[in-house]
Amino acid sequence: MLPRKRGVDAGEVQDLHNKAPRPAAPAPAQDDPMAARAPEIDEDLHSRQLAVYGRETMKRLFGSNVLVSGLQGLGAEIAKNLVLAGVKSVTLHDDGKVDLWDLSSNFFLSEKDVGQNRAQACVPKLQELNNAVIISTITGDLTKEQLSNFQAVVFTDISIEKAVEFDDYCHSHQPPIAFIKSEVRGLFGSVFCDFGPEFTVLDVDGEEPHTGIVASISNDNPALVSCVDDERLEFQDGDLVIFSEVHGMTELNDGKPRKIKSARPYSFTLEEDTTSYGTYIRGGIVTQVKPPKVLKFKTLKEAIKEPGEFLMSDFSKFDRPPLLHLAFQALDKFRTELLRFPIAGSADDAQKLIDFAISINESLGESKVEETDKKLLQHFASGSRAVLNPMAAMFGGIVGQEVVKACSGKFHPLYQFFYFDSVESLPVEPLEASDLKPENSRYDAQISVFGAKLQKKLEQSKIFMVGSGALGCEFLKNLALMGISCSENGKLTVTDDDVIEKSNLSRQFLFRDWNIGQPKSTVAATAAMAINPKLHVEALQNRASPETENVFNDAFWESLDAVVNALDNVTARMYIDSRCVYFQKPLLESGTLGAKCNTQMVIPHLTENYGASRDPPEKQAPMCTVHSFPHNIDHCLTWARSEFEGLLEKTPTEVNAFLSNPSGYATAARTAGDAQARDQLERVIECLDRDKCETFQAGFHMNPIQFEKDDDTNFHMDLIAGFANMRARNYSIPEVDKLKAKFIAGRIIPAIATSTAMATGLVCLELYKVLAGGHKVEDYRNTFANLAIPLFSVAEPVPPKTIKHQDMSWTVWDRWTITGNITLRELLEWLKEKGLNAYSISWGTSLLYNSMFPRHKERLDKKVVDVAREVAKVEVPSYRRHLDVVVACEDDDDNDVDIPLVSIYFR
């Protein structure tokens, strides 16, 4: 276990800052002194993050010093994400003291911290996340000269006047200091970024450059380039590409980027005259080149007056950003003049803020907002003092990512204002001022927005969370802060059958190095109870699947208010989705992939279910390409892993099977359908037959080796990387180091803390709606976001598909129920009354009745449950009170009609 590093004060960290040379705007790694001085990267710890950022970006982060000012919930979230990312140092600035309102959003704080300085109270728990990061505090006034110690500064609670002063200093500083201002006010949030007069983006989107294998190039003006048709090209018009390994037309191998146009699935036109070039003979790889991009940022002073285009997220609120731009200025004026926030529910305070907004708007001249939505401004004013956890989590992810961009040049910065609101999360019934009054509890901030009635519902809710990894840790923190399941009548059940590994620690922030090897669910639940001791949580280690329906039985599912998925695979998601549809429970779904995240709300009878739409299958190279015509390192690594598993796992397993039954196994092998497997087995058998097995002692067996990517002492990745690079060398394909080989061959899913935090914040904004009840489908939101670009796309969920028959209609959410221990004939008659002619009835995989089989008519007068027992040869579980049958039906015109599942309650 690493020794726990103490927090240091501002003087100590300033000495460290002064000793470290500061780079100019991000430049290539070889010119970056901080990258050169950065410590070695712990690849086991940061493997998932390395898969997103790459080694050079990580080195830049390891050399970056960041200031986070304002340690309410938003500042805490940003600091958490930066410490997990592994910056060199994080300095916390706050001259305020902890109060109960902070406990609604800052998970580092507890009741015993009330009265202490916010920044200092956060240090011990923040330091636990990463001992390699230097954490210090500034608890007094902050001067602009102190900002020169940092590559990036973030302010979460600062007046516009002071922000303009600090931003002007950062903008004109040499080199420029990245300045970020962000606020979370109730259900409203904002971000402003200024990375200086000129900022170089080294990698705009972080995607791997696209490649193609050349099939032909014409001697023409412009030249036509055709590629092999086993994989569609991903090029777009205007892309720059370079060529290599072209035989014949060697003029293209000069490494010069060339622009393409008329991009098609398997060809494109090159903006070049190749009529005088050599004649193309064969070969050639074409690779996309991603040039740096230079951005020129306005100062805050300029941008407030002329904000330009706002980054949009929800196009149903197209006119919202200009109004919110005005609202945040009005709130600043309110706070400056009255030295406080508007009081929740106060009509007078709301009107004062509206008056300020109108006054500011009138001074804008031609750029003023046409219509000021007074109801929206009332909501804004009423909840403005509150920093809500879900909003802090969401904006903490966004801002944390912007800091990474500022320190590394990786990904496109936010340019320059972003506004967001979730007023749809408010209860549908109007809130009375009396319901918004503080109760001297840790939930006062949340009560000031949603009211005490909803707070009570949150505390009494019964939630099932599936998974407690990266998403699960963030969710548990959020739920604990929101007060979910925090009363005796509430209950949060979390299950995960996995244990903690070292690579989890860089983003699954509830875990520490001393937890490695322990169950995820137990450790995460314990950590969540430390955040809020009143959390009523049960941690299980069961995989939620058909095999554990005795644990997660009917009574369990029927008791739930909502289900939150925190899963990492489609199979498990599909199963949970089917259970939620069956028991008609809301499902809050989310997922991440590197800088991308998505959320989907599955609400009974309002939205389609998760399984209603499927992502396209993952693109895989054809086996003929992998084995005979590799043209990139992915093909070589796929081949290398296949060889590893064939030689070291499959063959020893087959040998052991042969040794246990030589004659029987030899016969099976010679009749096997797989020619390659058969040939391999026959060689093994021939070898063993030749030696008559005389050299083997009784009980001899081989030890098959299963591939394990994360254990460097087993040399699995060394062998696979070696295999792949030797094959790559034979085909003139660029080789890769072992880490890159691990990403590809180990199929490591890229993951970072920022996108995970954002996803869970968005989901928890929806959870308010689910638990409040009464919301329409248009109030819910599904989201896709890519923090790298950045892109935020928010839309209403899709309603479920409706099926109609005669005067009836139903969706996937409907289930027909029959009470009574009925016979098959009675079931057919019940359906006949609905104008449906049933011709097939099944239970699970067992066919109970089909009209085509004469013998099945003998079953008609038997109870359905008895037929099920006879056919399936299994007893209906004692905890199950009903039998679900799938019935195939036709209408009177012989047209198939898909009907809901039919549940027969026989007990």
Side-chain angles (χ1 to χ4, degrees):
M1 187 189 305
L2 291 171
R4 204 174 294 182
K5 188 175 291 184
R6 65 185 176 91
V8 296
D9 66 26
E12 290 178 283
V13 83
Q14 185 159 335
D15 291 340
L16 291 164
H17 293 159
N18 293 338
K19 293 173 185 174
R22 296 187 68 249
Q30 60 266 27
D31 300 326
D32 189 340
M34 287 172 70
R37 293 165 61 98
E40 286 299 309
I41 299 171
D42 186 336
E43 294 177 0
D44 291 339
L45 176 63
H46 291 292
S47 61
R48 274 61 178 174
Q49 187 170 307
L50 275 164
V52 180
Y53 293 145
R55 198 182 297 275
E56 296 308 318
T57 294
M58 289 291 293
K59 286 181 179 178
R60 292 175 194 284
L61 288 180
F62 283 9
S64 299
N65 305 302
V66 182
L67 170 74
V68 178
S69 176
L71 267 296
Q72 294 173 317
L74 176 56
E77 289 282 346
I78 296 166
K80 176 252 299 177
N81 293 333
L82 293 176
V83 169
L84 290 173
V87 297
K88 180 181 179 182
S89 74
V90 174
T91 300
L92 310 176
H93 167 248
D94 199 316
D95 59 3
K97 298 185 184 301
V98 178
D99 63 29
L100 279 176
W101 282 60
D102 295 323
L103 304 188
S104 281
S105 56
N106 187 325
F107 53 96
F108 292 128
L109 304 176
S110 63
E111 279 86 349
K112 67 179 178 60
D113 296 313
V114 172
Q116 295 187 41
N117 175 270
R118 276 198 207 98
Q120 290 179 335
C122 291
V123 170
K125 292 178 183 176
L126 187 59
Q127 187 68 78
E128 281 185 0
L129 300 181
N130 191 339
N131 284 310
V133 178
I134 301 167
I135 299 174
S136 62
T137 61
I138 299 174
T139 57
D141 290 340
L142 187 68
T143 65
K144 61 187 179 184
E145 288 75 23
Q146 287 175 288
L147 305 184
S148 62
N149 296 318
F150 307 99
Q151 281 72 54
V153 295
V154 180
F155 294 89
T156 67
D157 190 15
I158 187 175
S159 70
I160 292 177
E161 181 184 11
K162 197 69 177 177
V164 165
E165 177 191 341
F166 284 167
D167 177 58
D168 285 345
Y169 179 83
C170 293
H171 191 88
S172 59
H173 191 274
Q174 289 299 324
I177 302 163
F179 175 92
I180 302 173
K181 179 180 183 293
S182 183
E183 292 181 81
V184 165
R185 304 296 175 202
L187 289 167
F188 300 80
S190 72
V191 182
F192 169 80
C193 293
D194 173 11
F195 291 1
E198 287 194 355
F199 180 82
T200 303
V201 185
L202 302 176
D203 184 350
V204 172
D205 59 12
E207 302 292 340
E208 285 292 321
H210 301 306
T211 64
I213 184 166
V214 177
S216 68
I217 308 174
S218 69
N219 290 89
D220 213 339
N221 184 20
L224 176 66
V225 180
S226 298
C227 294
V228 297
D229 61 2
D230 62 344
E231 292 182 41
R232 293 173 63 94
L233 298 175
E234 301 289 342
F235 299 138
Q236 297 180 354
D237 289 4
D239 279 356
L240 295 176
V241 296
I242 57 172
F243 290 84
S244 60
E245 306 299 327
V246 176
H247 293 263
M249 197 178 287
T250 56
E251 294 87 346
L252 294 180
N253 294 329
D254 58 6
K256 171 187 168 185
R258 292 169 164 85
K259 186 176 286 188
I260 68 173
K261 61 181 182 180
S262 303
R264 296 186 177 91
Y266 304 104
S267 67
F268 57 86
T269 301
L270 197 63
E271 285 192 354
E272 185 137 356
D273 182 357
T274 60
T275 53
S276 62
Y277 290 5
T279 303
Y280 174 83
I281 298 174
R282 61 181 171 83
I285 304 294
V286 57
T287 305
Q288 179 189 24
V289 176
K290 297 164 69 175
K293 181 178 181 180
V294 177
L295 296 175
K296 299 179 186 296
F297 285 84
K298 295 178 184 177
T299 64
L300 178 60
K301 187 176 183 179
E302 298 168 325
I304 282 181
K305 295 177 181 177
E306 298 178 6
E309 289 189 15
F310 296 101
L311 177 62
M312 290 296 298
S313 60
D314 188 339
F315 283 91
S316 69
K317 303 176 179 179
F318 190 77
D319 58 349
R320 190 66 55 84
L323 181 58
L324 295 184
H325 187 64
L326 194 62
F328 275 93
Q329 292 178 67
L331 177 62
D332 178 76
K333 191 167 179 63
F334 186 106
R335 294 182 67 193
T336 301
E337 295 198 5
L338 280 76
L339 302 178
R340 62 176 176 85
F341 282 99
I343 296 171
S346 168
D348 290 343
D349 280 1
Q351 188 59 50
K352 285 190 180 75
L353 186 136
I354 292 169
D355 292 341
F356 284 136
I358 292 172
S359 174
I360 296 168
N361 191 42
E362 291 300 322
S363 69
L364 297 178
E366 294 182 0
S367 58
K368 73 176 184 179
V369 175
E370 290 295 324
E371 185 178 345
T372 54
D373 184 336
K374 292 184 179 180
K375 185 175 181 181
L376 186 80
L377 291 175
Q378 287 171 349
H379 288 315
F380 179 81
S382 182
S384 59
R385 185 186 167 193
V387 178
L388 300 174
N389 162 255
M391 291 290 292
M394 175 193 171
F395 276 83
I398 295 171
V399 175
Q401 195 64 58
E402 293 306 308
V403 174
V404 170
K405 296 172 187 179
C407 295
S408 68
K410 182 84 169 183
F411 303 155
H412 196 293
L414 195 157
Y415 192 82
Q416 290 187 256
F417 278 106
F418 173 64
Y419 291 102
F420 174 89
D421 75 83
S422 183
V423 289
E424 305 82 15
S425 293
L426 289 170
V428 292
E429 298 295 329
L431 291 166
E432 299 294 332
S434 58
D435 199 35
L436 302 174
K437 288 183 178 178
E439 298 182 345
N440 197 34
S441 80
R442 63 177 297 143
Y443 310 118
D444 279 352
Q446 192 163 260
I447 289 171
S448 75
V449 176
F450 294 102
K453 292 189 184 72
L454 179 55
Q455 183 61 48
K456 189 173 182 180
K457 281 187 178 181
L458 301 182
E459 293 174 44
Q460 294 179 343
S461 61
K462 295 177 176 61
I463 307 294
F464 182 30
M465 194 177 84
V466 192
S468 57
L471 285 165
C473 284
E474 290 284 346
F475 274 128
L476 278 166
K477 172 257 296 177
N478 296 356
L479 300 179
L481 291 171
M482 293 165 68
I484 300 291
S485 307
C486 287
S487 76
E488 285 301 314
N489 294 328
K491 185 175 182 183
L492 171 61
T493 304
V494 56
T495 192
D496 194 315
D497 65 344
D498 202 3
V499 296
I500 298 165
E501 300 174 0
K502 186 177 182 179
S503 63
N504 300 148
L505 304 182
S506 65
R507 64 200 189 286
Q508 300 180 18
F509 78 102
L510 295 181
F511 306 147
R512 304 291 179 263
D513 52 2
W514 55 84
N515 297 132
I516 292 173
Q518 297 175 11
K520 284 186 176 180
S521 61
T522 304
V523 175
T526 301
M529 285 189 285
I531 293 171
N532 187 342
K534 291 188 177 179
L535 180 66
H536 192 197
V537 58
E538 180 182 15
L540 303 174
Q541 286 84 50
N542 303 91
R543 182 188 296 265
S545 66
E547 292 72 35
T548 57
E549 288 182 8
N550 61 322
V551 177
F552 307 112
N553 56 27
D554 294 12
F556 171 80
W557 279 97
E558 288 165 357
S559 71
L560 298 175
D561 295 308
V563 180
V564 177
N565 265 356
L567 292 162
D568 61 0
N569 67 90
V570 172
T571 302
R573 285 185 171 102
M574 293 292 287
Y575 172 73
I576 297 298
D577 176 63
S578 68
R579 295 277 83 192
C580 288
V581 170
Y582 182 85
F583 288 102
Q584 302 190 23
K585 300 298 179 182
L587 170 63
L588 291 82
E589 171 60 56
S590 58
T592 69
L593 180 66
K596 305 181 184 76
C597 72
N598 70 283
T599 68
Q600 180 181 353
M601 300 305 107
V602 179
I603 310 299
H605 303 288
L606 293 184
T607 75
E608 68 178 10
N609 63 313
Y610 175 81
S613 58
R614 299 293 299 273
D615 292 331
E618 189 175 339
K619 186 172 70 175
Q620 293 182 331
M623 292 312 294
C624 60
T625 301
V626 170
H627 287 289
S628 303
F629 308 105
H631 55 84
N632 62 41
I633 197 64
D634 295 51
H635 299 154
C636 299
L637 284 160
T638 300
W639 170 85
R641 177 164 174 176
S642 175
E643 290 295 303
F644 178 100
E645 291 173 341
L647 291 169
L648 300 178
E649 181 181 3
K650 188 173 181 179
T651 297
T653 300
E654 303 288 4
V655 167
N656 289 340
F658 169 80
L659 290 172
S660 64
N661 184 11
S663 58
Y665 196 78
T667 302
R670 292 188 178 100
T671 58
D674 186 333
Q676 184 180 0
R678 185 173 65 245
D679 292 344
Q680 190 175 34
L681 287 171
E682 286 183 345
R683 286 198 298 273
V684 172
I685 292 165
E686 181 182 347
C687 174
L688 294 173
D689 279 344
R690 185 175 63 246
D691 293 333
K692 308 297 185 192
C693 295
E694 294 172 358
T695 58
F696 299 112
Q697 299 177 357
F700 171 85
H701 73 281
M702 300 185 74
N703 292 321
I705 296 175
Q706 287 191 328
F707 173 59
E708 170 49 59
K709 64 183 180 297
D710 290 323
D711 180 4
D712 283 343
T713 64
N714 63 24
F715 302 106
H716 292 186
M717 278 312 311
D718 298 84
L719 182 61
I720 287 177
F723 276 6
N725 283 331
M726 286 189 287
R727 186 168 178 83
R729 199 172 302 169
N730 286 338
Y731 286 88
S732 301
I733 296 170
E735 300 172 33
V736 293
D737 62 13
K738 188 175 80 171
L739 181 64
K740 181 73 172 179
K742 181 193 283 191
F743 294 157
I744 300 170
R747 297 167 193 145
I748 286 178
I749 299 175
I752 48 179
T754 50
S755 55
T756 305
M758 181 180 183
T760 61
L762 287 164
V763 168
C764 288
L765 287 172
E766 303 300 305
L767 186 58
Y768 287 126
K769 306 171 190 177
V770 168
L771 297 180
H775 285 270
K776 299 177 181 178
V777 67
E778 52 265 32
D779 292 335
Y780 288 96
R781 295 290 186 269
N782 290 346
T783 306
F784 172 78
N786 184 344
L787 291 174
I789 304 178
L791 166 73
F792 306 106
S793 178
V794 180
E796 293 176 15
V798 177
K801 178 184 175 183
T802 300
I803 299 172
K804 295 182 178 180
H805 171 70
Q806 295 182 351
D807 59 347
M808 298 182 293
S809 64
W810 58 85
T811 71
V812 67
W813 291 102
D814 288 295
R815 181 156 54 106
W816 289 349
T817 60
I818 304 174
T819 302
N821 196 5
I822 64 169
T823 64
L824 277 172
R825 189 185 302 279
E826 288 170 331
L827 173 58
L828 295 178
E829 291 172 353
W830 186 81
L831 292 166
K832 184 67 175 175
E833 291 174 1
K834 298 177 182 290
L836 296 165
N837 303 312
Y839 59 85
S840 180
I841 302 170
S842 58
W843 177 54
T845 58
S846 301
L847 182 64
L848 307 186
Y849 170 79
N850 191 292
S851 59
M852 292 177 58
F853 302 140
R855 291 186 60 186
H856 282 195
K857 292 180 181 178
E858 299 171 4
R859 303 173 177 175
L860 286 174
D861 293 315
K862 293 183 178 180
K863 305 291 187 185
V864 176
V865 67
D866 293 335
V867 176
R869 291 190 183 103
E870 293 172 13
V871 174
K873 301 290 194 292
V874 292
E875 188 60 44
V876 179
S878 58
Y879 59 83
R880 180 64 45 84
R881 296 182 295 111
H882 64 273
L883 200 69
D884 300 313
V885 294
V886 176
V887 184
C889 294
E890 294 176 336
D891 60 20
D892 291 336
D893 296 324
D894 297 333
N895 298 311
D896 279 333
V897 180
D898 291 329
I899 71 168
L901 195 67
V902 178
S903 295
I904 302 169
Y905 282 79
F906 59 89
R907 286 181 179 154

